[in-house]
Amino acid sequence: ITVLPTGAGEMKKLDFQGIEKAGSINWLPDSKQIIFAGNETGKPRRTFIKNLETGVQRPITPEGVTVILVSPDGKSFVCDADGKRSVCSLDENTSPRPIVGLGETDIVRNWVADSRSLYVYVYEAGMLKVSRLDIATGRREPFKEINIADKSGIFTKPSIAITPDGKSYIYSVRRYLMDLYLADGLK
C-alpha cells in the first residue's frame, strides 16, 4: 500500500511488518498513525497501530478483535469482537465493550462528530431508517428516513454514507434490471 500526499511531499510505501493481510485501514486524527486489522502468520486477525514516522507497529487488541471505524477524537473505535460489534479504546488496554442498544439488524455507518454516538441504520419496508445511537446509554434518536421511491430490481440492501456532522449523506441502491420479450409464431 502506498500513501500519497495531498500537497507537497513524497509517496510513502507502507510496510506491514510480518502481517499477511492488512485491511480496514483507518487514519488517526494526528495523521501520523494508522490502525488496521491484520494477522501475523498462522494467527487470527487482530488490530494493530502503526506510527508512520517511526515505523513502529504493535498489536492493540487481543486476537479476534478487529477495527472497523475510528472515532473523530481518535480515542475509540468500533470493532468486531468475535462477530459482535463493540467499542474498543485506544487510550487503555481494555476489553471490547458491547454497543448498548445496537440491534441485530442495525448497520453501523459512521461516528457522530461528538465521538459519543454512532449513525446506525436499518433497511425495512423500502426505507433506510437512520438513527443516532448513544454508545453509553443506548438512547436512539431518529435522524433521517429515506424512502427508496423506485424499488424495482433491488437485489441487495441499500447502503448509506453519512458525514460525522450529519450535513451530508449519499446512498446507493444496486439494481438488477432486464427486459423480457414474448415472441409468438416462431418455428
Side-chain angles (χ1 to χ4, degrees):
I1 295 176
T2 303
V3 178
L4 302 172
T6 57
E10 295 184 26
M11 295 187 312
K12 185 173 188 171
K13 186 161 176 54
L14 295 182
D15 175 22
F16 296 101
Q17 308 136 3
I19 303 299
E20 288 183 328
K21 285 186 178 179
S24 297
I25 300 168
N26 285 252
W27 287 96
L28 292 181
D30 66 6
S31 298
K32 296 175 184 175
Q33 299 180 94
I34 57 171
I35 67 171
F36 64 94
N39 66 292
E40 297 164 303
T41 306
K43 294 184 177 180
R45 289 175 65 81
R46 68 192 313 178
T47 303
F48 295 82
I49 190 166
K50 181 173 189 75
N51 184 306
L52 299 178
E53 292 177 345
T54 65
V56 173
Q57 164 184 306
R58 62 183 172 83
I60 58 171
T61 65
E63 292 175 350
V65 179
T66 56
V67 62
I68 297 173
L69 189 62
V70 175
S71 65
D73 64 9
K75 294 180 180 178
S76 304
F77 58 97
V78 175
C79 60
D80 182 323
D82 298 320
K84 300 222 189 264
R85 299 292 189 248
S86 300
V87 174
C88 291
S89 173
L90 275 161
D91 291 339
E92 311 150 9
N93 190 7
T94 58
S95 298
R97 63 184 193 277
I99 299 171
V100 178
L102 187 66
E104 289 285 321
T105 58
D106 286 332
I107 298 170
V108 176
R109 185 42 58 203
N110 201 1
W111 286 90
V112 175
D114 66 6
S115 295
R116 293 188 317 250
S117 303
L118 295 167
Y119 290 112
V120 299
Y121 76 95
V122 294
Y123 178 67
E124 54 187 34
M127 302 213 27
L128 282 169
K129 297 179 180 180
V130 184
S131 302
R132 287 185 189 106
L133 177 66
D134 184 303
I135 61 172
T137 66
R139 187 173 151 266
R140 185 180 291 258
E141 177 185 321
F143 172 69
K144 188 165 288 300
E145 286 191 356
I146 301 167
N147 183 20
I148 309 297
D150 181 4
K151 295 166 187 61
S152 60
I154 295 176
F155 70 97
T156 60
K157 292 179 181 178
S159 179
I160 188 166
I162 306 165
T163 56
D165 64 8
K167 292 181 180 177
S168 301
Y169 67 92
I170 185 170
Y171 67 92
S172 65
V173 178
R174 296 187 70 196
R175 300 177 190 279
Y176 187 64
L177 301 175
M178 63 182 88
D179 295 319
L180 177 64
Y181 296 93
L182 178 62
D184 282 336
L186 296 175
K187 294 184 183 195

